Amino acid sequence: MNTRDTPKTVLLLGSSALKIGEAGEFDYSGSQAIKALKEEGVRTILMNPNIATIQTSDYLADEVYFLPITPEYVERVIAKERPDGILLAFGGQTALNCGLKLHDSGVLDRYGVRVLGTPVETIRDTEDRELFVGRLHEVDAVAPRSKAATSVDEAVGIAKELGFPVMVRIAFALGGLGSGVCRDEAALRELAGKGLAHTSQILVEEYLEGWKEIEYEVVRDRFDNCITVCNMENFDPLGIHTGESIVVAPSQTLTNHEYHKLREISIRVIRHLGVIGECNIQFALDPKSDEYRIIEVNARLSRSSALASKATGYPLAFIAAKLALGHGLHRLPNAITRSTSAFFEPALDYCVVKIPRWDLSKFRNVSRKIGSGMKSVGEVMSIGRTFTEALQKAIRMLDIGRHGLVANEQTEAEADLDVELSEPTEERIFSVVEAMQRGYTVDRIRELSHIDKWYLEQISQVVGIGAQLESGAGGPLHEELLREAKVRGFSDRQIERLSGVSAADVRTQRIDAGIVPVLRQIDTLAAEYPAQTNYLYLTYSGDQDDVELPVDNAVLLLGSGAYRIGCSVEFDWCCVNAGLTLRREGLRTVMLNYNPETVSTDYDEFHQLVFDEISFESVLEICDKVKPQGVIVSMGGQIPNNLAMKLHEAGVRVLGTSPESIDAAENRHRFSSLLDELEIDQPEWAELSDLDGARRFANEVGYPVLVRPSYVLSGAAMAVCTNDDELSIYLERAARVSSEYPTVISKFLENAKEIEFDAVAQDGDILVYAISEHVENAGVHSGDATLVFPPQRTYQETIRQVRNSARRIAERLNINGPFNIQFIAKDNAVKVIECNLRASRSFPFVSKVLKRNLIEMATQVIIGRRVDKFDSKVFEIEHVGVKAPQFSFARLDGADPTLGVEMASTGEVGCLGDDFSEAFLKAMISVGYRLPVRSVLLSLGPIESKAELLPAVRHLHEKGVEIHATQGTAKFLNDAGISATALGWPLDDEAGGTLDYIRSGDADLVINIPKNDRADELTNGYMIRRTAVDYNVPLITNRQIAMRFIEAMGRVQPADMATKAWSEYAIA
Amino acid sequence: MSARTSREGRNVADLVDQPVEVGAPKRSVRARLILEDGTEYTGVSFGHEGSVAGEVVFNTGMVGYPETLTDPSYRGQIVVCTYPLIGNYGVPSSSSEGERLDSSFESTEIHAAGLIVADYSPQHSHWNAARSLGQWLDAEKIAGLSRIDTRSLTQRLREHGSMLGRIEFEGDPVEQRDPNVENLIEEVSIKEPILYGEGQDKRVVLVDTGAKHNIVRCLLRRGVEVLRVPYDFDLDGEKKIDGLMLSNGPGDPKMADPSVQQVRRALDRGIPTFGICLGNQLLARAIGAETYKLKYGHRSQNQPVVECGTNRCFVTSQNHGYAVDSDSLPRDWRVWFQNLNDGSNEGLRHAWAPYRSVQFHPEARPGPVDSEFLFDEFVRMLSS
């Protein structure tokens, strides 16, 4: 393309549901791309079934399709919308892979759709290892010695040639799926087998143990202008996926020679490959010589590019979209300074630390080791003027109960530190600290962990300060020690835990001594030129604020922190929409959040963005400076919600529902008596501090019971127990029950239905509400449940009761803002399970289905505007929305892919249809189920489950679906006249058994309904489920989902499913 | 918590004033940075404990303190690093390679008068390091201060242009000094000519007004002989000059008249000429163009420049407070490069004759190497 040839209509592919390896960063990059396209007047069509994203908002793209990102659906949208350009780089590997398929099959050519930005050939060169290595050699760039294999035997042969240990990598993978280090042939055979099930080609390469891992974010335009916006150094050495590593920007241990050598190679390689837009290049650097290797190039926006954008203030995705349209870097303005050019490389005068957030404790059987595959579900980023200020802040931001590097609860078990250091788990940073405290030398820790000595020395400094604070315990704090501690990132609370001086006193003392943080700008030029940026952070290493304070007419809006299981992009949607509303209402929003994967941390969304901790300390400090009219705590999920009462007590004005009411809903005892007063039913519960009492209560209300310990040693936090033995075992082994750590036990209702009530109230009067039903019966965590709105199978009487109960609760708590109540219903008896006086994860879903922005209304209420009631004709809407969970079990080695009372899903989609079946199937396809189903493997669990599913299976049989089944199920089906081939149980180890069948790839679907039964059957079931996941075969483990899925397949043919944009689903 | 560590024995002051070298713990010493406008900052010494005065300048590069400190352009200046974490990778050994060029540094000594950082790292880590930054500063008798809010300091320097200042230790007062009125070029230039790479066909004469070693290295790598001469060396006596390279250097170009005279004569002789940084300004003055002091100096490794009339852009390393006035160029001279941020002049070229210069540093060190190809172009235009 020699001249700019701006397309008229562009199709942008999103990344679908959040999953491990593909998270919120693609909402951020897609949203920026849409803004860039809009600025150019390009008509933009967005396809993304992730309904909770900002990018699917009505004010961004011209048309939004909540449809699966599969070649089939994308082709349909292309045929309908006839775009002349397509962007593949903004929706992660999902969009890229789908786009490549469309290109290969000739669809793009056929419809005259041009791939904008980086050409397909370049993408191919970076995705195919052999092509890639060849391209590197052409410009004298060095790749690890390696060869591609298409079979397990071939892989073993290559490994023997290279010598063990070797690294196995998988082409066309996201987040390093299935990659790993193999130290011997057996390990290689296993990993290669799994990898080749997902892809046709794997790579076996030399393993560069202990090398540093360095990344550069590179931008190139069509004029061949090329810059590196940011470099980053992994704290963890090579071998740990960069998504699993603590990452530091800029690099800390590289000399000028190394920094610029790798930079030059980056530019040389990217020019040669011909990227147009943005990409990421990863290096291995020998810590003992000048040797390097190029690990990979991602020719698309990535998690690292989102991080780099936030770390530098350089809007990579926005610029990449502009470059894809043919602009030159030098003609685009620097978005931060507005006076300088986009062709420049940011100079940082601060240090950035990213730490991944894992949620491994939510999964049964999962391996806690971290390595070359991704397991983390989110990340935090922190900014400081010392490394340890940033590091300690980041640890607290993880929200995993740690106060920083030191002053944490000691873990019970005497871990083998040598193992902990050399075979990292998600806890390794704490093992480093513990090793120092136990007297390991820095050199020894370096040998075991391969973490660079500079980082270890920095940590050691903090350990030393911790010991100083502790040794003076009880006495007054030495002012200089206090100053030093704050500069090194100690929180007031952390100092309290070490010194015994209360956090409040620490705060008073340091304020008296003038030890307060300053608000600093991220200005991309390290103060070389004046900048008007509103992108800020707090640091205790500074003399003066960079911005004018206080801020008139400001509202402080608290974000949601790291994405983790249970708190994800939906809260970001709420925050961004709240901010937009505040702006429209003439207020200035100061946003506080620290998640680099979000849109809410885009500085152009708000008057000011403070990228920092959401803690009592930081919120108070910001309030002291900004002097906002109040703080909004109800948009960012549980973290801000939990601060409400403390802030209120500290004299901060909390806007919206009063903190007393929030506490009344959060405090189990207070809320329970409130329900009693209102004569609203709730499941029986008790808080107990000993085993006898627990058993007595369980027998009184009758098993099963739901146990929710307040302190958990390991494994799942919540469980359902069906008898005394299970209860005893659970409470003794998993949870340390004591008066200090009481356990809440409640009656668990079987075969009951769960209902979500999302609403906004003003002065206790409900303005708008949405009732959704779960497809799954109670027992599946609401975050893992498939939600239907408006409800299709709920009795009118139940709905009436739900509405009435909610009305009374809203009135009683005088709710001003968003709230959510979860109900459980059985035979028209409705009970309240939970009530949150904040926005819930279903707010974006119901808002978009209803086409009424509940957050906009809630925000108006919160700032005291009178808001009209929404005339709730919700049951007259002509379409149905279905929200389905996305699981990431494939990435979690060993995890049992079942559903339970602990949430396990990492994301969700929401699709629309003219009826339930259509919306449901679209949602299921969006989260990875495949149609048509020609063969199934059935293992239907207990007899009542078999019986319940019989009509559905008969239907499959009649449609000619080939049925294989485990022995009991096969016998049951054959007796019922349905021919099913019986296969042996995994533990029986027979040839031709279930596992072989799954591995053969012949099954289109596995339905395994777990029995809550004998251990060996659990194991059998586990092996079936796990094998299905490992071999990428769609799996259903829930009875109601199985029923609805089979029914829906019978009712709707894929070809009949409407290709309708969101705008075409009208509300009457 | 069972935190009982080997560091427990240290007292508070030791911890607080943490720049403590491995194996050689010393008590921290404080000193003040006093600017000419009266502003004071108190920091912790990590280098030589002796007061010093100079011009306070900042640089926003994130790497390259050994290269920066040994760059003769920093002669007499107290350098402020805006990147807060300094000292991390220590300082390499000064093993010398052939041609009397030190492989790790840009000259044979530290030229900066002092170094100001936010968070000095006494513990360094790099396979190539021979000692810590603090040890090096101490050995070279250069003051270093840590624990200073370098961002607010930089903002102050930026708004004021640059300022004189001094690092003062207790009981060791020092007079304010303005290096700009001194003949810095004479101080940093070599006294006698040195010939590098003897025996090559082509000879480039490098006028050393404070040349960085990497200019010499870049030329040698391209197979030419380099005669490095003092700033006031009489070129008329040199018959064999295939090309003239004007180096970088410290201070105000108006102070460099002897060199400007030499350049004029070389142009009269038609010798292909290439100037770098100060060399750009000298060439400009030699042809009668004007130089002036910038409101915001360029002191960073991320200065974007565009080659005029093209879409070709480069990220460059720069360190200068003066610039050539593009509007003052005589006939037949063109602006070669322009700064993308402020539009200031980044290079000159003659319309047809082989005379060129750039305001940035194609030799890098520290900084990006994007423009190193300019040495190729220069070598191609040498007289045959």
Side-chain angles (χ1 to χ4, degrees):
Chain A
M1 164 169 90
N2 284 321
T3 52
R4 266 188 68 198
D5 181 9
T6 308
K8 286 180 183 57
T9 301
V10 168
L11 175 62
L12 179 77
L13 301 184
S15 65
S16 194
L18 270 61
K19 43 195 144 337
I20 293 178
E22 267 187 325
E25 62 269 20
F26 299 113
D27 187 20
Y28 155 75
S29 49
S31 299
Q32 283 215 335
I34 298 169
K35 285 183 196 170
L37 292 169
K38 274 178 75 110
E39 211 177 79
E40 299 286 319
V42 175
R43 184 166 175 269
T44 307
I45 313 298
L46 171 68
M47 267 187 89
N48 191 354
N50 191 339
I51 201 163
T53 52
I54 319 291
Q55 58 181 247
T56 56
S57 297
D58 53 5
Y59 64 90
L60 281 173
D62 294 285
E63 290 291 354
V64 174
Y65 287 85
F66 296 118
L67 287 173
I69 307 296
T70 61
E72 187 194 346
Y73 280 91
V74 177
E75 181 175 352
R76 289 196 201 179
V77 171
I78 288 173
K80 184 174 164 198
E81 295 284 354
R82 299 309 301 259
D84 46 355
I86 188 167
L87 285 172
L88 305 177
F90 299 83
Q93 200 69 29
T94 299
L96 201 66
N97 288 351
C98 184
L100 286 178
K101 282 182 194 156
L102 289 162
H103 174 266
D104 292 351
S105 64
V107 168
L108 298 183
D109 268 356
R110 191 153 4 116
Y111 289 94
V113 186
R114 185 155 56 93
V115 175
L116 305 176
T118 300
V120 168
E121 296 67 36
T122 301
I123 297 171
R124 185 88 54 208
D125 285 347
T126 60
E127 296 281 324
D128 181 300
R129 289 302 295 197
E130 253 175 322
L131 289 177
F132 180 61
V133 170
R135 297 290 277 158
L136 291 183
H137 285 160
E138 288 164 13
V139 284
D140 297 324
V142 188
R145 292 185 300 140
S146 68
K147 268 187 182 163
T150 52
S151 75
V152 175
D153 287 333
E154 196 183 348
V156 171
I158 295 165
K160 285 182 175 159
E161 212 177 289
L162 292 171
F164 284 99
V166 292
M167 182 79 193
V168 171
R169 293 181 175 275
I170 295 178
F172 291 97
L174 46 103
L177 174 71
S179 300
V181 177
C182 299
R183 295 192 181 271
D184 54 44
E185 186 178 330
L188 175 62
R189 283 191 177 277
E190 194 185 326
L191 198 62
K194 270 188 206 173
L196 287 166
H198 284 269
T199 176
S200 57
Q201 188 201 68
I202 61 165
L203 195 84
V204 184
E205 73 181 23
E206 65 176 324
Y207 178 48
L208 306 166
E209 190 157 29
W211 285 36
K212 295 179 188 183
E213 190 168 350
I214 312 287
E215 301 173 68
Y216 283 75
E217 295 301 318
V218 189
V219 179
R220 180 177 171 270
D221 67 17
R222 70 188 176 96
F223 305 106
D224 205 24
N225 291 314
C226 197
I227 54 170
T228 65
V229 165
C230 183
N231 94 333
M232 296 180 273
E233 176 174 7
N234 286 7
F235 169 94
D236 300 286
L238 196 72
I240 297 177
H241 189 281
T242 178
E244 298 287 276
S245 289
I246 297 175
V247 173
V248 185
S251 61
Q252 297 299 324
T253 70
L254 266 57
T255 62
N256 177 72
H257 168 71
E258 291 166 329
Y259 182 104
H260 286 290
K261 174 173 134 169
L262 298 184
R263 178 186 172 280
E264 185 276 320
I265 296 166
S266 302
I267 290 175
R268 196 194 321 157
V269 167
I270 295 320
R271 282 187 164 145
H272 184 62
L273 289 170
V275 170
I276 294 175
E278 204 276 349
C279 70
N280 159 283
I281 180 165
Q282 293 171 19
F283 293 93
L285 182 66
D286 189 351
K288 299 189 191 88
S289 80
D290 212 21
E291 288 278 301
Y292 78 93
R293 303 279 189 276
I294 294 174
I295 302 302
E296 65 179 20
V297 167
N298 285 303
R300 57 170 171 79
L301 276 296
S302 64
R303 179 186 44 263
S304 292
S305 62
L307 180 66
S309 290
K310 302 300 162 84
T312 62
Y314 192 104
L316 284 167
F318 184 84
I319 297 292
K322 291 278 188 173
L323 300 186
L325 293 177
H327 284 279
L329 269 171
H330 53 304
R331 315 241 180 218
L332 297 169
N334 172 343
I336 286 257
T337 61
R338 292 180 201 279
S339 60
T340 56
S341 149
F343 181 87
F344 85 108
E345 301 188 351
L348 282 56
D349 61 359
Y350 48 84
C351 169
V352 170
V353 172
K354 172 217 96 173
I355 308 186
R357 155 86 197 207
W358 290 272
D359 260 327
L360 297 177
S361 61
K362 299 254 184 203
F363 301 96
R364 200 156 64 89
N365 291 352
V366 75
S367 159
R368 300 181 76 100
K369 295 259 188 297
I370 60 170
S372 56
M374 246 185 101
K375 291 180 179 175
S376 60
V377 291
E379 60 191 33
V380 302
M381 183 185 105
S382 72
I383 307 167
R385 290 268 297 173
T386 68
F387 168 67
T388 42
E389 179 179 43
L391 180 63
Q392 294 218 83
K393 270 203 246 186
I395 290 171
R396 288 192 290 277
M397 288 170 174
L398 289 172
D399 194 33
I400 53 171
R402 306 300 172 106
H403 299 275
L405 284 166
V406 295
N408 298 314
E409 295 285 338
Q410 284 299 86
T411 43
E412 286 280 297
E414 279 281 301
D416 181 342
L417 278 177
D418 283 18
V419 174
E420 293 288 316
L421 291 171
S422 55
E423 296 172 26
T425 68
E426 82 276 24
E427 294 276 302
R428 177 154 82 171
I429 183 87
F430 302 108
S431 303
V432 167
V433 170
E434 202 183 333
M436 285 176 183
Q437 289 170 338
R438 284 207 215 156
Y440 279 52
T441 63
V442 161
D443 285 327
R444 176 81 183 127
I445 298 171
R446 156 146 192 81
E447 263 168 48
L448 290 164
S449 66
H450 298 295
I451 297 169
D452 193 277
K453 209 172 142 180
W454 185 82
Y455 293 111
L456 297 175
E457 292 285 3
Q458 292 278 318
I459 292 171
S460 160
Q461 215 172 42
V462 166
V463 172
I465 295 166
Q468 285 285 316
L469 286 165
E470 207 176 28
S471 68
L477 284 168
H478 187 292
E479 184 184 317
E480 283 309 297
L481 177 61
L482 181 56
R483 190 181 300 273
E484 177 69 12
K486 296 307 286 184
V487 163
R488 302 282 163 213
F490 284 73
S491 71
D492 292 351
R493 176 94 178 84
Q494 194 180 7
I495 294 170
E496 170 187 296
R497 290 175 59 86
L498 292 163
S499 68
V501 179
S502 78
D505 288 349
V506 171
R507 179 175 153 82
T508 311
Q509 197 184 324
R510 67 173 172 74
I511 290 174
D512 287 348
I515 306 172
V516 289
V518 295
L519 270 177
R520 280 278 143 103
Q521 290 172 315
I522 304 255
D523 65 9
T524 70
L525 293 161
E528 190 184 7
Y529 291 92
Q532 296 303 316
T533 166
N534 57 357
Y535 182 10
L536 309 170
Y537 68 99
L538 285 172
T539 176
Y540 279 91
S541 291
D543 301 339
Q544 62 195 49
D545 296 302
D546 280 353
V547 288
E548 236 173 273
L549 297 166
V551 179
D552 289 344
N553 239 2
V555 169
L556 178 60
L557 177 59
L558 305 187
S560 62
Y563 288 167
R564 81 285 304 267
I565 289 175
C567 173
S568 193
V569 66
E570 55 276 4
F571 293 107
D572 202 48
W573 182 85
C574 294
C575 288
V576 170
N577 277 280
L580 285 172
T581 309
L582 291 172
R583 179 153 66 193
R584 272 197 298 270
E585 297 289 340
L587 292 163
R588 291 170 160 176
T589 307
V590 178
M591 178 77 211
L592 176 63
N593 201 7
Y594 53 78
N595 182 342
E597 305 177 310
T598 58
V599 177
S600 68
T601 51
D602 238 1
Y603 50 85
D604 62 355
E605 295 284 337
F606 306 101
H607 178 70
Q608 282 181 339
L609 164 68
V610 182
F611 203 109
D612 219 288
E613 275 183 85
I614 306 171
S615 67
F616 180 61
E617 179 178 336
S618 59
V619 172
L620 279 193
E621 292 293 345
I622 293 166
C623 285
D624 281 355
K625 289 178 180 299
V626 171
K627 306 216 186 316
Q629 297 183 354
V631 180
I632 295 180
V633 298
S634 51
M635 297 300 172
Q638 204 56 31
I639 291 178
N641 199 53
N642 287 346
L643 287 174
M645 201 61 187
K646 280 187 84 177
L647 290 173
H648 174 67
E649 284 165 359
V652 173
R653 186 168 164 224
V654 174
L655 301 177
T657 306
S658 79
E660 283 91 349
S661 290
I662 295 174
D663 188 60
E666 291 284 321
N667 181 305
R668 186 168 293 278
H669 296 277
R670 287 186 66 187
F671 187 61
S672 181
S673 31
L674 183 143
L675 290 179
D676 288 346
E677 270 174 56
L678 295 174
E679 296 178 338
I680 296 171
D681 209 1
Q682 57 189 308
E684 294 142 300
W685 69 280
E687 190 175 85
L688 299 153
S689 48
D690 65 281
L691 188 57
D692 282 347
R695 242 190 249 128
R696 224 172 12 250
F697 174 80
N699 282 294
E700 215 175 282
V701 300
Y703 282 101
V705 291
L706 180 67
V707 195
R708 208 187 298 243
S710 57
Y711 184 89
V712 181
L713 285 181
S714 66
M718 270 194 287
V720 176
C721 296
T722 55
N723 55 48
D724 276 359
D725 286 348
E726 276 180 26
L727 184 66
S728 308
I729 289 169
Y730 181 76
L731 289 180
E732 279 166 2
R733 285 197 196 150
R736 192 165 66 183
V737 180
S738 68
S739 51
E740 198 187 341
Y741 299 115
T743 287
V744 171
I745 301 182
S746 54
K747 169 76 182 159
F748 180 78
L749 291 171
E750 287 178 290
N751 298 322
K753 207 169 177 56
E754 278 194 48
I755 291 157
E756 300 277 336
F757 186 89
D758 292 309
V760 178
Q762 184 156 40
D763 297 330
D765 188 17
I766 293 176
L767 300 177
V768 61
Y769 69 91
I771 295 173
S772 324
E773 65 186 8
H774 292 196
V775 172
E776 298 85 348
N777 279 349
V780 171
H781 190 284
S782 67
D784 286 350
T786 307
L787 229 60
V788 186
F789 172 69
Q792 304 293 305
R793 302 171 66 91
T794 304
Y795 299 121
Q796 277 302 321
E797 169 60 15
T798 299
I799 288 172
R800 200 184 55 78
Q801 285 189 40
V802 162
R803 224 164 28 209
N804 283 338
S805 300
R807 188 177 301 139
R808 276 177 284 155
I809 291 170
E811 197 181 307
R812 178 52 173 276
L813 291 170
N814 194 31
I815 296 174
N816 271 299
F819 69 103
N820 158 277
I821 306 176
Q822 286 167 35
F823 292 92
I824 190 163
K826 192 173 176 178
D827 309 328
N828 276 332
V830 173
K831 298 173 200 285
V832 169
I833 319 176
E834 207 180 303
C835 173
N836 294 300
L837 304 193
R838 54 166 173 79
S840 78
R841 74 171 67 82
S842 33
F843 265 65
F845 168 67
V846 297
S847 291
K848 286 179 183 173
V849 177
L850 195 55
K851 295 196 164 184
R852 181 81 199 183
N853 191 327
L854 268 60
I855 292 302
E856 185 182 341
M857 294 176 78
T859 307
Q860 288 167 332
V861 167
I862 286 170
I863 56 168
R865 307 284 190 268
R866 293 310 303 178
V867 180
D868 291 339
K869 271 193 189 186
F870 179 60
D871 187 15
S872 284
K873 290 188 176 121
V874 287
F875 303 105
E876 291 168 25
I877 60 178
E878 289 294 321
H879 55 272
V880 179
V882 171
K883 175 166 103 68
Q886 169 80 52
F887 297 94
S888 298
F889 291 119
R891 302 199 162 265
L892 299 161
D893 281 353
D896 189 352
T898 52
L899 304 185
V901 286
E902 276 291 338
M903 187 170 162
S905 62
T906 55
E908 62 186 35
V909 298
C911 294
L912 303 177
D914 291 328
D915 61 24
F916 166 79
S917 294
E918 188 196 341
F920 179 65
L921 280 186
K922 282 177 182 170
M924 293 295 276
I925 295 167
S926 295
V927 295
Y929 290 88
R930 294 191 288 262
L931 294 179
V933 173
R934 295 191 187 86
S935 56
V936 290
L937 172 68
L938 302 177
S939 174
L940 299 181
I943 183 69
E944 51 289 9
S945 161
K946 289 188 177 86
E948 192 180 342
L949 283 166
L950 185 61
V953 176
R954 190 182 302 284
H955 184 74
L956 281 180
H957 177 63
E958 282 162 4
K959 284 185 62 188
V961 174
E962 192 185 322
I963 297 171
H964 287 71
T966 49
Q967 280 154 353
T969 302
K971 181 171 186 308
F972 176 85
L973 293 177
N974 288 329
D975 289 351
I978 298 169
S979 67
T981 312
L983 296 171
W985 283 108
L987 288 180
D988 296 345
D989 203 24
E990 281 168 31
T994 42
L995 298 192
D996 286 341
Y997 179 62
I998 298 169
R999 290 189 189 117
S1000 72
D1002 289 340
D1004 293 326
L1005 177 68
V1006 173
I1007 299 176
N1008 172 280
I1009 309 297
K1011 288 184 207 183
N1012 213 356
D1013 211 346
R1014 294 202 314 272
D1016 62 334
E1017 285 204 11
L1018 273 179
T1019 309
N1020 272 317
Y1022 165 72
M1023 290 172 77
I1024 291 174
R1025 294 188 290 276
R1026 193 61 228 177
T1027 307
V1029 166
D1030 286 339
Y1031 285 80
N1032 199 18
V1033 181
L1035 169 73
I1036 291 175
T1037 62
N1038 177 279
R1039 221 194 295 177
Q1040 290 79 37
I1041 292 291
M1043 300 260 291
R1044 299 289 94 79
F1045 190 62
I1046 295 169
E1047 277 170 20
M1049 281 195 300
R1051 285 186 188 151
V1052 186
Q1053 293 312 304
D1056 301 338
M1057 287 196 267
T1059 310
K1060 273 164 79 171
W1062 182 25
S1063 63
E1064 295 172 80
Y1065 293 96
I1067 302 285
Chain B
M1 227 184 73
S2 62
R4 287 288 173 264
T5 76
S6 55
R7 286 166 184 267
E8 199 184 13
R10 284 198 198 169
N11 65 33
V12 167
D14 275 346
L15 262 172
V16 168
D17 309 322
Q18 42 76 31
V20 174
E21 306 297 347
V22 193
K26 61 177 183 186
R27 266 199 60 85
S28 76
V29 172
R30 286 169 187 275
R32 291 175 304 158
L33 170 72
I34 306 157
L35 300 181
E36 65 177 309
D37 70 353
T39 318
E40 287 192 18
Y41 296 81
T42 302
V44 177
S45 168
F46 67 96
H48 177 64
E49 287 167 21
S51 300
V52 63
E55 182 186 15
V56 187
V57 299
F58 63 88
N59 192 291
T60 72
M62 299 184 287
V63 285
Y65 52 84
E67 291 83 355
T68 297
L69 290 171
T70 54
D71 178 348
S73 302
Y74 283 102
R75 188 73 177 185
Q77 295 181 328
I78 295 171
V79 178
V80 178
C81 293
T82 65
Y83 188 67
L85 312 177
I86 300 292
N88 303 7
Y89 51 83
V91 178
S93 67
S94 48
S95 69
S96 55
E97 62 188 26
E99 312 298 343
R100 286 152 289 165
L101 292 177
D102 196 286
S103 62
S104 306
F105 305 105
E106 287 310 303
S107 67
T108 50
E109 60 178 311
I110 298 181
H111 287 280
L115 181 64
I116 306 286
V117 306
D119 189 25
Y120 169 63
S121 181
Q123 261 61 318
H124 63 270
S125 163
H126 198 272
W127 62 271
N128 197 22
R131 51 185 163 172
S132 73
L133 172 60
Q135 286 165 336
W136 186 42
L137 291 180
D138 198 29
E140 298 242 341
K141 305 252 182 294
I142 305 294
L145 284 192
S146 178
R147 283 318 185 73
I148 287 191
D149 182 358
T150 49
R151 182 171 170 88
S152 65
L153 173 56
T154 300
Q155 286 165 339
R156 185 170 288 275
L157 295 175
R158 177 189 76 202
E159 291 310 321
H160 194 275
S162 47
M163 253 193 277
L164 301 182
R166 53 196 204 272
I167 297 174
E168 215 168 80
F169 287 81
E170 184 93 32
D172 180 17
V174 64
E175 283 296 303
Q176 192 54 269
R177 167 193 174 203
D178 184 357
N180 293 312
V181 299
E182 298 166 21
N183 192 348
L184 294 171
I185 294 174
E186 183 179 16
E187 274 184 52
V188 296
S189 180
I190 51 167
K191 306 299 170 230
E192 295 297 329
I194 305 174
L195 184 63
Y196 301 91
E198 190 172 356
Q200 301 285 356
D201 291 347
K202 298 280 166 69
R203 170 179 286 191
V204 171
V205 170
L206 168 65
V207 179
D208 178 9
T209 49
K212 285 160 71 184
H213 278 172
N214 211 41
I215 295 178
V216 182
R217 292 186 203 108
C218 285
L219 289 169
L220 290 178
R221 270 205 298 277
R222 286 161 178 84
V224 297
E225 196 175 82
V226 178
L227 181 68
R228 178 177 168 199
V229 301
Y231 75 105
D232 54 354
F233 189 77
D234 183 2
L235 295 175
D236 291 348
E238 281 302 312
K239 293 297 161 244
K240 170 130 174 99
I241 306 180
D242 299 313
L244 187 67
M245 174 68 83
L246 310 174
S247 83
N248 62 300
D252 186 337
K254 289 176 185 154
M255 305 284 292
D257 265 354
S259 307
V260 171
Q261 301 303 337
Q262 294 300 328
V263 176
R264 265 193 205 124
R265 285 209 285 278
L267 296 181
D268 290 344
R269 281 167 66 184
I271 298 172
T273 298
F274 193 95
I276 291 174
C277 195
L278 180 65
N280 184 49
Q281 297 161 9
L282 297 184
L283 181 64
R285 297 190 68 81
I287 61 172
E290 291 301 316
T291 54
Y292 66 101
K293 200 163 198 303
L294 288 165
K295 159 84 171 149
Y296 301 121
H298 299 166
R299 307 185 186 284
S300 50
Q301 300 172 13
N302 61 344
Q303 289 289 336
V305 303
V306 61
E307 184 174 357
C308 297
T310 75
N311 284 309
R312 297 213 300 166
C313 303
F314 308 93
V315 180
T316 65
S317 187
Q318 298 192 18
N319 168 41
H320 61 106
Y322 295 87
V324 173
D325 179 1
S326 291
D327 294 334
S328 68
L329 298 188
R331 255 190 68 189
D332 295 334
W333 284 84
R334 309 275 185 268
V335 177
W336 190 8
F337 292 97
Q338 194 178 33
N339 191 291
L340 273 173
N341 284 344
D342 61 10
S344 64
N345 180 276
E346 292 287 359
L348 314 172
R349 65 182 178 83
H350 192 271
W352 64 83
Y355 312 138
R356 295 177 176 199
S357 61
V358 292
Q359 186 57 56
F360 48 87
H361 290 270
E363 83 285 2
R365 291 245 191 157
V369 296
D370 297 19
S371 50
E372 200 188 306
F373 70 91
L374 292 174
F375 284 97
D376 297 323
E377 294 190 358
F378 173 58
V379 169
R380 273 200 293 275
M381 71 185 196
L382 295 180
S383 326
S384 41

